[in-house]
Amino acid sequence: MTMPRRIGAAAFAVAAAASALVGASTSASANTPNCAGPVSDTWINVTVDNVRNGNGLMAVTLYADEPRKFLVKHGSMYVGRVDATAGETRMCLFVPKPGVYALAVYHDEDSSRNLKRSGVLGLPEEGFGFSNNPPTVASIPSFRSVRLNISKTNLSTRIHLKYP
């Protein structure tokens, strides 16, 4: 007779813990509209300007503070995506914890989830930008020029898109 009560109490405890976790992630999301990425207690508000149309998605790629992984295949932490809005697209991006990161953004106009590139040279065919808006005339920016210190939650940054 005591065995079922123990099982019932354990089941209740598990259900209560699961409910608390769901409530915690829901409240974090409720306070951070249009957020992307794995839910955490730290996020950054990203405004992407010079968006030429509302087609497709705005993709914001988060990189850890590791220069050798910047812009290499499978080097990012994750990509957050939201619907693009002409003129200016606003979103927030969860980051694992306060620290130094880099952001690369592209306007995925065809919602392919890949940056379209030209054949021979591999130059971008869709709008792109980086944290700190470094010059990108002759080459990709250095990691040092795009590093962004996210020291606490709810900071903001603005990224200016460039189209080919």
Side-chain angles (χ1 to χ4, degrees), residues 22-149:
V22 169
S25 68
T26 303
S27 65
S29 301
N31 293 331
T32 53
N34 212 16
C35 284
V39 176
S40 74
D41 291 333
T42 308
W43 65 87
I44 184 164
N45 298 302
V46 179
T47 301
V48 181
D49 64 25
N50 195 40
V51 181
R52 72 174 163 199
N53 59 54
N55 298 343
L57 302 167
M58 192 61 60
V60 180
T61 307
L62 180 69
Y63 291 92
D65 192 15
E66 297 179 47
R68 64 182 176 77
K69 291 187 172 185
F70 182 57
L71 298 179
V72 299
K73 192 169 189 162
H74 305 295
S76 70
M77 298 178 79
Y78 54 83
V79 180
R81 294 177 176 88
V82 296
D83 291 336
T85 304
E88 192 174 87
T89 300
R90 294 175 184 257
M91 64 175 289
C92 77
L93 186 71
F94 287 112
V95 297
K97 62 184 180 181
V100 176
Y101 300 93
L103 302 176
V105 178
Y106 73 95
H107 184 184
D108 185 9
E109 292 179 274
D110 61 358
S111 298
S112 67
R113 297 185 172 257
N114 290 302
L115 176 63
K116 285 174 61 177
R117 296 176 179 270
S118 65
V120 177
L121 297 177
L123 298 173
E125 292 185 355
E126 296 177 299
F128 65 93
F130 299 94
S131 44
N132 299 328
N133 299 304
T136 56
V137 176
S139 66
I140 60 173
S142 69
F143 183 76
R144 184 181 346 185
S145 70
V146 298
R147 292 178 77 230
L148 187 63
N149 184 12

